[in-house]
Amino acid sequence: MNRKPRILGIGIATMDIYRHQKRMYPGGNEYNVAYNAALQGIDAGFMGIFADDAAGRILEKTLADAGIDTSHSHHEKGSSGYALVDLRDGDRIFLDWNRQGVTDLYPFTFTEEEIAYIKTFDVACISWGARVGADKIRKLSGAGIEVCYDFYDNFTQEDIENISPYIKYAFFSCSHIDEEETRGILEECVRLGARIAVGTRGGEPAVAYDGARYYSQDICKVTAIDTMGAGDSYISAFLSNYLSAEADEPLSAEDKITISLKKAAEFAAEVVVKDGSLGVGYDVDPENLSKIINI
């Protein structure tokens, strides 16, 4: 391989606060993608909005300690994003969250200098929650940037139509629909322009489609401690392995996807036995959040 693949997360940095543990865990969709990419030996970066509170400083330092480039993140006055979380049988339950954090108030516009920076990466990962709409994704695509987009589980037909033409990789959370409907969504996404579309389905096998064939990958069964960040870890591992396969020995397109789906399932199984999204946590008093977050 000539060089390591490079993956950039653009979007959410948040603090997941577990009241029952009195612990807080850094996370957020693209934050998790970047962190997990670095764990897998990928050159990773994160572009987000960090608040001028203690939580914001912790969020950025956690990435810096992992060797992740945050040089093009913004720093704004305001509140870090946070979620109050409880766990029930390993599944996360969101009790409350900040609806007006700095990511909501100061979304990226993507300057020429920022676009030049993003182009140094092989892929830019963005999600529905990153406050980066279809118009901005179109702008990035027009600049020659390959985009991976996480549609979450609340995707609409309009989302699929407006975003699919401008992305290379698409991920959908499809545990609420059956396999036939999942296949239909993936097929439409690829028909509209995406190169590869993947639907994760909770405890059921994931499905992928590349315009030529469908793929299926069983989950790796483990006793989950915490499912927070499982989908993000899956995306990170799929991309890390897919991009590495492209840079290494020549493999068929089918083999690249098959291997990447398997590695993604294995890595996600490692993540769900950790506390929080990343297994990195800090003590906190949930009754005194104003000490760490500008509320």
Side-chain angles (χ1 to χ4, degrees):
M1 183 171 63
N2 295 326
R3 64 172 178 82
K4 290 182 182 180
R6 287 170 53 80
I7 293 176
L8 177 67
I10 304 175
I12 307 170
T14 190
M15 198 67 80
D16 296 316
I17 299 166
Y18 286 28
R19 293 200 313 182
H20 61 295
Q21 292 182 353
K22 295 188 176 181
R23 296 276 286 173
M24 61 182 182
Y25 299 93
N29 298 99
E30 294 74 35
Y31 188 103
N32 296 336
V33 169
Y35 190 96
N36 285 318
L39 279 185
Q40 295 168 88
I42 302 298
D43 283 341
F46 176 73
M47 281 179 67
I49 317 296
F50 293 113
D52 61 337
D53 52 22
R57 292 187 289 274
I58 292 169
L59 285 165
E60 188 164 20
K61 184 178 185 300
T62 300
L63 292 182
D65 289 347
I68 295 165
D69 179 26
T70 63
S71 62
H72 284 67
S73 291
H74 294 189
H75 299 82
E76 302 287 353
K77 292 186 178 299
S79 171
S80 291
Y82 71 90
L84 288 178
V85 182
D86 204 351
L87 284 180
R88 296 175 191 169
D89 300 322
D91 287 329
R92 62 189 185 274
I93 306 294
F94 291 99
L95 305 174
D96 195 13
W97 58 91
N98 178 1
R99 296 165 179 81
Q100 285 293 304
V102 288
T103 302
D104 302 290
L105 298 175
Y106 305 101
F108 283 105
T109 59
F110 298 122
T111 65
E112 289 186 11
E113 194 273 336
E114 287 171 341
I115 287 175
Y117 168 74
I118 297 168
K119 290 179 73 172
T120 68
F121 291 84
D122 295 292
V123 62
C125 297
I126 299 169
S127 74
W128 176 87
R131 306 302 182 257
V132 177
D135 56 334
K136 294 176 185 176
I137 292 172
R138 191 180 307 117
K139 180 178 181 179
L140 295 177
S141 176
I145 293 165
E146 294 191 341
V147 175
C148 170
Y149 190 83
D150 182 1
F151 285 85
Y152 290 8
D153 61 358
N154 58 348
F155 53 86
T156 66
Q157 180 65 27
E158 184 179 9
D159 293 332
I160 296 170
E161 292 175 358
N162 290 343
I163 293 170
S164 298
Y166 307 104
I167 61 177
K168 183 173 183 179
Y169 309 97
F171 288 83
F172 297 84
S173 296
C174 298
S175 58
H176 60 298
I177 58 178
D178 63 24
E179 182 175 352
E180 182 179 359
E181 190 173 353
T182 299
R183 287 186 173 212
I185 288 166
L186 303 184
E187 186 173 331
E188 181 176 18
C189 181
V190 171
R191 178 181 62 79
L192 289 168
R195 179 82 58 83
I196 300 170
V198 180
T200 56
R201 303 175 56 237
E204 299 298 319
V207 180
Y209 182 67
D210 65 355
R213 56 165 287 194
Y214 289 100
Y215 304 78
S216 180
Q217 174 60 53
D218 289 334
I219 67 166
C220 294
K221 293 185 178 180
V222 295
T223 301
I225 294 174
D226 185 351
T227 58
M228 185 77 79
D232 308 324
S233 69
Y234 194 99
I235 292 171
S236 180
F238 179 91
L239 293 174
S240 295
N241 284 279
Y242 188 84
L243 293 171
S244 295
E246 283 198 320
D248 274 331
E249 59 187 273
L251 294 171
S252 68
E254 292 81 4
D255 284 345
K256 290 175 189 176
I257 295 174
T258 299
I259 291 169
S260 300
L261 288 171
K262 184 174 184 294
K263 294 292 187 181
E266 292 171 351
F267 189 76
E270 295 177 16
V271 168
V272 298
V273 297
K274 299 177 181 180
D275 287 323
S277 297
L278 309 171
V280 178
Y282 305 88
D283 291 334
V284 68
D285 180 0
E287 304 305 319
N288 289 291
L289 292 184
S290 60
K291 290 184 177 181
I292 60 162
I293 297 173
N294 292 333
I295 297 176

